[in-house]
Amino acid sequence: MVDYFKYLVLPGITLLIISSLLILWDKRPILRKSVYLLLSAYSLLFLTFIVSLWIDFGRAPLRTLGETRLWYAFFIPLLTLVLYLRGKWRWVVPYGSMMAIVFLIINAVKPENFSKELMPALQSVWFAPHVIVYIFSYAIFGLVTLLSIHQLLFVKEKKWEEWSSSSDTLIYTGFAFLTLGLLFGAIWAKQAWGHYWTWDPKEVWALITWMIYLLYMHYRIAFKPEYSSAAKILIIAFILLLLCWFGINYMPIASQSVHTYGP
Amino acid sequence: MVTANNEKKYFKFTLIILSAIVTAGFLLQWFIHPAFDLSFPKNLYFILLVFITILSVRIFASKTYIYNWLTSVFTSLVAILAFFFFMLLMGLIPQKPSMNWFDKLGLTYITSSFPFILIYLFLLLNLGLVVSKRITAHWSLKNLAFILNHLGLWLVLLTGGVGVFDFVRLDMFCRMNTPVWYGFDEKGKGYELPLALELKQFEMEYFLPQVKLIRKDSTEKNGIKILKQAEIDTVRAFQLSDYKLKVKKYLPYSWWWNDSVFSMKSPGYVASALIEVSSKDSTLETWLAYPSAMQKGKMIEFKNGCVLILDAPIVKRYKSTVTVYTKNEEKFSAVIEVNKPLEVMGWKLYQKDYHKELGEYSDYSIIEANKDEWLGAVYAGVFMMLAGALLLIWTGNKK
């Protein structure tokens, strides 16, 4: 089943590129509708693939980093579609597409030796919700980060207030999902490992990620007009998030982690 | 009412105060190595003290500078920043003794070092006062989300933080048909338990073995590069890279004697598969078997340097069937499995480990018995935060 992924990469990338080009070059309503259609087609395609993988593996396809990247590449365009449907977020489509394409390419170039096995500690009802809400929040944060970069580079200063408050809406939602992921993880850890919090390196980095977004939210309340610094905090936050997601495997503390499940 | 603009000065002020606190903390840590012990009932007194402090400031000092300062968002911001700083240190420095100045500053055991604990106390005070302020504010959905999130976090930090001193984790080494009344902590000290476990059966299931196509590669870990792998399919033909594989005969428990194989399940068995391998230009039929402690494996080497092997299967599940005896003279049978702990007399029992070399023939099973009196309080906080997060999604999107 997993071998079919290579047949999805090109159609997926094509759908995303066409959507982005339509957004960038044309504002006619008819094309707007076709973007909805293209992004829906993309989401449906990857949802079908994920569901078939799930059935084929007999477990949620969420164990390896490559599997989480697949979900990410599914969530991002879906989110851009929702945000685009809600109005004003035109820019989100090309950015989201770019991000999804990067993840698709990583998975295509570096195919994993997927295996169906799920070690005993991972066989739990918490496995799927814990990882899915995490990847969903990561998708939101990824989009906000690209929007912040866009804001700093291309948006006029008088529009910053509006941009930052839109970022806030997304951040609050993303943070809520991040919190759910963290707490689901804690409840699960109590079931699997005997304690809800053991300061495992992955837990520490999850807390670091959680705290930088917490910091951002309080910073926005305290220093409302500092739009540029707020956007920069979001960029730093996403770098920390990526360290938590992928980088930790390369750190000296990784050897102490019980959270490393293969590639 | 102090306006936000007036409060801005709190930012620098708190930054200076907390920097001083952290510096003092590091100095204290350097010169005295405190061993904090807040086990029961000391942690209860501590909680009462925190409670009384917050309530008295709230009730008697709510018009003072100190109250305004401690409940300001600028103060919270710096408090979070300080906590965040310690988390970053923890995320970068391995938390195990290193025998250098890192140790002396407490950087290798941050959660029990002076500077971190001082910041933790400050955060508790700040967060507690903020909650006490908002809890009497006008009712609204947004305010409710605020209280659930903040009060939940405060509860988790407070009760989780001091509850750790009462948390007991003991390993019970259970051998077959021998009741065990005691467990050992991580230092190897034994404790008697109000219950006993007698191991009756230890069972283990494996996944099917994997067929792997590998190649020698000195740049890879173990000197081997796995080109392709798949779970063996004993019914249908399956594809592995350029090879089509069909299992003709599969013996899950087998023994080899010279070149003949027979079925028998006893310690040291291997799984063997008579396999037909077809590529574009040829077909061959031969045996594959993974090695065990008692037997050599069988593999196929191709002319192009690739090797086809069967790899030992990984563990799917393992569980212990035990008879439980309690001090109340109860006796019953139960199964303890990973992710499915058993609860007896307030103790949670976890399937933790077994004799790895022997696998399913393990002669013992390690069951962790643990007790956390504060779990209820921590979970109350966790559920508040869960509810708060859900409300946040709701209210956040209504704006």
Side-chain angles (χ1 to χ4, degrees):
Chain A
M1 189 66 227
V2 79
D3 290 332
Y4 292 120
F5 179 71
K6 55 177 182 257
Y7 304 117
L8 292 185
V9 177
L10 271 183
I13 291 178
T14 314
L15 285 171
L16 294 176
I17 288 179
I18 297 175
S19 316
S20 308
L21 292 179
L22 284 177
I23 294 272
L24 290 174
W25 274 323
D26 217 310
K27 285 183 185 167
R28 273 175 293 168
I30 177 83
L31 291 171
R32 211 183 144 88
K33 281 199 181 118
S34 50
V35 171
Y36 296 156
L37 218 67
L38 291 171
L39 287 178
S40 307
Y42 175 93
S43 303
L44 203 65
L45 188 67
F46 279 83
L47 180 67
T48 315
F49 180 62
I50 286 174
V51 171
S52 343
L53 262 191
W54 198 318
I55 295 166
D56 181 43
F57 283 0
R59 62 162 171 90
L62 288 160
R63 197 199 78 201
T64 65
L65 289 178
E67 287 163 15
T68 59
R69 282 194 293 262
L70 174 67
W71 281 81
Y72 203 74
F74 161 65
F75 274 142
I76 290 257
L78 186 68
L79 262 172
T80 59
L81 175 65
V82 172
L83 292 173
Y84 186 44
L85 274 171
R86 288 180 64 171
K88 62 183 177 182
W89 290 84
R90 220 160 59 86
W91 279 105
V92 92
V93 175
Y95 279 122
S97 301
M98 200 166 76
M99 198 161 224
I101 289 171
V102 169
F103 278 79
L104 285 178
I105 290 177
I106 294 175
N107 270 17
V109 176
K110 245 189 87 182
E112 282 176 340
N113 284 306
F114 286 86
S115 56
K116 296 179 184 180
E117 293 109 334
L118 207 55
M119 38 291 269
L122 292 185
Q123 294 167 23
S124 161
V125 290
W126 291 104
F127 175 48
H130 169 62
V131 192
I132 290 174
V133 294
Y134 253 121
I135 301 302
F136 186 69
S137 73
Y138 285 6
I140 296 180
F141 291 139
L143 276 182
V144 182
T145 310
L146 292 177
L147 292 172
S148 303
I149 294 170
H150 180 86
Q151 173 187 347
L152 289 174
L153 294 178
F154 305 116
V155 177
K156 290 196 185 90
E157 270 187 52
K158 59 178 182 202
K159 280 199 159 179
W160 279 9
E161 187 177 356
E162 193 189 329
W163 272 78
S164 288
S165 78
S166 303
S167 291
D168 287 354
T169 315
L170 282 174
I171 289 292
Y172 275 83
T173 309
F175 185 77
F177 279 98
L178 194 72
T179 308
L180 291 180
L182 190 72
L183 298 177
F184 287 174
I187 297 170
W188 181 14
K190 181 72 199 169
Q191 285 287 315
W193 297 325
H195 200 40
Y196 53 85
W197 195 264
T198 48
W199 297 107
D200 178 86
K202 193 87 173 184
E203 289 172 3
V204 173
W205 276 93
L207 191 61
I208 289 172
T209 313
W210 190 77
M211 289 202 76
I212 183 113
Y213 286 105
L214 193 70
L215 206 63
Y216 168 84
M217 295 190 297
H218 287 81
Y219 182 83
R220 284 283 294 142
I221 295 166
F223 295 99
K224 207 157 177 30
E226 305 279 340
Y227 305 115
S228 144
S229 309
K232 283 171 195 156
I233 293 177
L234 285 181
I235 296 167
I236 295 168
F238 196 65
I239 294 170
L240 292 175
L241 184 156
L242 288 176
L243 283 177
C244 175
W245 190 2
F246 302 113
I248 197 164
N249 291 2
Y250 305 101
M251 290 186 208
I253 50 162
S255 59
Q256 298 178 354
S257 180
V258 290
H259 261 98
T260 39
Y261 297 116
Chain B
M1 184 77 192
V2 189
T3 63
N5 236 359
N6 286 341
E7 280 187 32
K8 232 176 210 169
K9 60 177 186 261
Y10 292 144
F11 183 72
K12 268 193 188 149
F13 179 65
T14 319
L15 211 53
I16 292 165
I17 296 270
L18 290 197
S19 306
I21 288 179
V22 169
T23 314
F26 277 125
L27 283 174
L28 279 170
Q29 188 66 37
W30 185 276
F31 291 111
I32 32 173
H33 281 258
F36 296 98
D37 175 24
L38 276 184
S39 53
F40 189 81
K42 278 176 269 178
N43 43 18
L44 197 63
Y45 299 145
F46 172 79
I47 288 179
L48 282 175
L49 184 72
V50 171
F51 222 79
I52 291 166
T53 311
I54 288 171
L55 277 185
S56 29
V57 174
R58 175 75 182 92
I59 294 166
F60 303 112
S62 68
K63 300 232 158 36
T64 59
Y65 182 88
I66 205 159
Y67 176 79
N68 277 329
W69 168 54
L70 279 173
T71 55
S72 160
V73 68
F74 290 90
T75 309
S76 304
L77 184 65
V78 183
I80 297 168
L81 189 66
F83 203 91
F84 174 75
F85 166 72
F86 282 103
M87 288 303 101
L88 262 186
L89 287 179
M90 230 181 144
L92 295 170
I93 303 166
Q95 298 293 298
K96 52 184 176 191
S98 67
M99 299 309 216
N100 58 28
W101 58 272
F102 271 38
D103 270 3
K104 287 202 88 175
L105 280 176
L107 294 174
T108 52
Y109 45 95
I110 281 175
T111 52
S112 44
S113 73
F114 246 125
F116 173 78
I117 288 172
L118 292 174
I119 291 301
Y120 164 78
L121 291 177
F122 186 83
L123 190 67
L124 273 184
L125 195 62
N126 166 239
L127 194 55
L129 275 170
V130 168
V131 172
S132 77
K133 184 179 174 182
R134 283 295 276 264
I135 221 157
T136 49
H138 284 298
W139 192 90
S140 73
L141 214 53
K142 226 178 132 187
N143 200 34
L144 181 65
F146 182 98
I147 288 166
L148 285 170
N149 283 321
H150 289 76
L151 183 58
L153 179 62
W154 184 76
L155 258 180
V156 170
L157 283 177
L158 179 65
T159 57
V162 299
V164 78
F165 295 101
D166 292 336
F167 183 45
V168 194
R169 303 184 88 152
L170 303 171
D171 282 341
M172 301 174 78
F173 291 84
C174 301
R175 289 183 186 277
M176 212 58 83
N177 298 318
T178 317
V180 178
W181 288 95
Y182 48 86
F184 297 94
D185 67 9
E186 55 182 2
K187 290 180 190 129
K189 197 175 164 208
Y191 295 87
E192 196 184 312
L193 285 155
L195 57 99
L197 299 179
E198 182 179 350
L199 183 64
K200 284 299 180 191
Q201 196 180 16
F202 179 76
E203 286 166 281
M204 185 173 269
E205 274 176 49
Y206 293 94
F207 287 99
L208 281 169
Q210 299 263 327
V211 186
K212 292 181 178 174
L213 189 67
I214 60 171
R215 198 181 53 209
K216 276 189 190 145
D217 186 340
S218 55
T219 60
E220 291 285 319
K221 209 162 62 178
N222 309 328
I224 285 169
K225 186 175 172 65
I226 301 168
L227 301 170
K228 213 73 185 163
Q229 68 178 58
E231 191 175 70
I232 193 163
D233 192 327
T234 54
V235 186
R236 289 165 300 178
F238 59 103
Q239 195 76 27
L240 197 70
S241 192
D242 298 332
Y243 303 98
K244 191 177 166 194
L245 309 178
K246 172 99 180 82
V247 177
K248 296 278 190 174
K249 203 172 185 183
Y250 182 68
L251 306 173
Y253 315 109
S254 57
W255 284 86
W256 285 86
W257 182 257
N258 293 331
D259 271 335
S260 50
V261 64
F262 55 95
S263 264
M264 185 175 82
K265 192 180 179 189
S266 67
Y269 72 79
V270 296
S272 306
L274 179 63
I275 206 159
E276 185 187 273
V277 186
S278 336
S279 61
K280 264 180 240 150
D281 31 75
S282 66
T283 299
L284 66 100
E285 196 177 281
T286 183
W287 284 94
L288 282 182
Y290 58 81
S292 75
M294 320 268 286
Q295 304 188 62
K296 274 201 251 172
K298 290 195 172 291
M299 54 180 107
I300 306 169
E301 260 188 273
F302 298 109
K303 282 190 199 117
N304 60 7
C306 293
V307 181
L308 191 68
I309 60 160
L310 199 62
D311 204 6
I314 69 160
V315 177
K316 189 175 188 177
R317 55 196 293 211
Y318 53 101
K319 58 182 182 187
S320 301
T321 307
V322 291
T323 303
V324 185
Y325 303 88
T326 70
K327 283 255 156 92
N328 309 337
E329 298 191 356
E330 278 176 293
K331 179 188 167 188
F332 56 90
S333 174
V335 176
I336 305 174
E337 196 178 339
V338 181
N339 262 312
K340 288 171 193 150
L342 177 72
E343 194 164 344
V344 182
M345 300 180 78
W347 288 82
K348 281 193 158 61
L349 304 167
Y350 296 83
Q351 173 69 61
K352 187 172 181 185
D353 214 347
Y354 56 93
H355 197 157
K356 286 278 185 337
E357 283 80 33
L358 297 182
E360 65 189 305
Y361 296 104
S362 176
D363 50 350
Y364 62 79
S365 173
I366 301 179
I367 305 289
E368 173 179 321
N370 82 35
K371 193 171 193 162
D372 186 358
E373 307 280 7
W374 297 85
L375 189 66
V378 175
Y379 271 19
V382 166
F383 288 118
M384 277 184 181
M385 286 175 79
L386 283 174
L390 293 174
L391 267 181
L392 199 64
I393 297 173
W394 177 250
T395 55
N397 280 310
K398 276 188 96 179
K399 263 196 284 191

Short mmCIF file of all heavy atoms in Angstrom, two decimals, chain B residues 35 64 71 218 265 296 311 347 398:
data_model
loop_
_atom_site.label_atom_id
_atom_site.label_comp_id
_atom_site.label_asym_id
_atom_site.label_seq_id
_atom_site.Cartn_x
_atom_site.Cartn_y
_atom_site.Cartn_z
N ALA B 35 19.08 19.36 49.81
CA ALA B 35 18.31 18.19 49.41
C ALA B 35 16.87 18.48 49.82
O ALA B 35 16.55 18.47 51.00
CB ALA B 35 18.83 16.95 50.10
N THR B 64 -2.79 47.32 47.02
CA THR B 64 -1.40 47.73 47.16
C THR B 64 -0.62 47.56 45.85
O THR B 64 -1.07 46.89 44.92
CB THR B 64 -0.69 46.89 48.23
OG1 THR B 64 -0.79 45.53 47.82
CG2 THR B 64 -1.31 47.08 49.59
N THR B 71 -0.10 40.68 39.86
CA THR B 71 -1.18 40.20 39.00
C THR B 71 -1.11 40.81 37.60
O THR B 71 -2.00 40.62 36.79
CB THR B 71 -2.56 40.54 39.60
OG1 THR B 71 -2.60 41.95 39.84
CG2 THR B 71 -2.81 39.78 40.88
N SER B 218 29.44 0.31 4.73
CA SER B 218 30.19 0.68 5.93
C SER B 218 29.75 2.03 6.48
O SER B 218 30.05 2.38 7.62
CB SER B 218 31.68 0.68 5.62
OG SER B 218 31.91 1.53 4.52
N LYS B 265 8.75 -26.77 18.93
CA LYS B 265 8.80 -25.52 19.67
C LYS B 265 9.51 -25.74 20.99
O LYS B 265 8.98 -26.37 21.90
CB LYS B 265 7.39 -24.98 19.91
CG LYS B 265 7.44 -23.55 20.41
CD LYS B 265 6.10 -22.93 20.66
CE LYS B 265 6.31 -21.50 21.18
NZ LYS B 265 5.10 -20.88 21.65
N LYS B 296 22.13 -21.19 13.62
CA LYS B 296 22.56 -20.23 12.60
C LYS B 296 21.39 -19.92 11.68
O LYS B 296 20.50 -20.73 11.50
CB LYS B 296 23.70 -20.82 11.77
CG LYS B 296 25.07 -20.60 12.40
CD LYS B 296 26.14 -20.73 11.35
CE LYS B 296 26.93 -22.01 11.58
NZ LYS B 296 27.87 -22.30 10.51
N ASP B 311 14.36 -11.69 9.24
CA ASP B 311 14.82 -11.08 10.48
C ASP B 311 13.94 -11.53 11.64
O ASP B 311 12.74 -11.72 11.48
CB ASP B 311 14.80 -9.55 10.36
CG ASP B 311 15.75 -8.91 11.33
OD1 ASP B 311 16.51 -9.64 12.01
OD2 ASP B 311 15.76 -7.67 11.44
N TRP B 347 -2.67 0.76 44.77
CA TRP B 347 -1.41 0.59 44.03
C TRP B 347 -1.73 0.28 42.57
O TRP B 347 -2.61 -0.53 42.29
CB TRP B 347 -0.59 -0.55 44.62
CG TRP B 347 0.01 -0.20 45.93
CD1 TRP B 347 -0.63 -0.25 47.14
CD2 TRP B 347 1.33 0.28 46.18
NE1 TRP B 347 0.22 0.18 48.13
CE2 TRP B 347 1.43 0.51 47.57
CE3 TRP B 347 2.43 0.55 45.37
CZ2 TRP B 347 2.59 1.00 48.17
CZ3 TRP B 347 3.60 1.03 45.95
CH2 TRP B 347 3.67 1.25 47.34
N LYS B 398 -14.81 32.40 17.76
CA LYS B 398 -16.02 33.21 17.70
C LYS B 398 -15.72 34.69 17.53
O LYS B 398 -16.59 35.46 17.19
CB LYS B 398 -16.86 33.00 18.96
CG LYS B 398 -17.74 31.77 18.88
CD LYS B 398 -18.68 31.69 20.04
CE LYS B 398 -20.04 32.29 19.71
NZ LYS B 398 -20.97 32.19 20.82
#
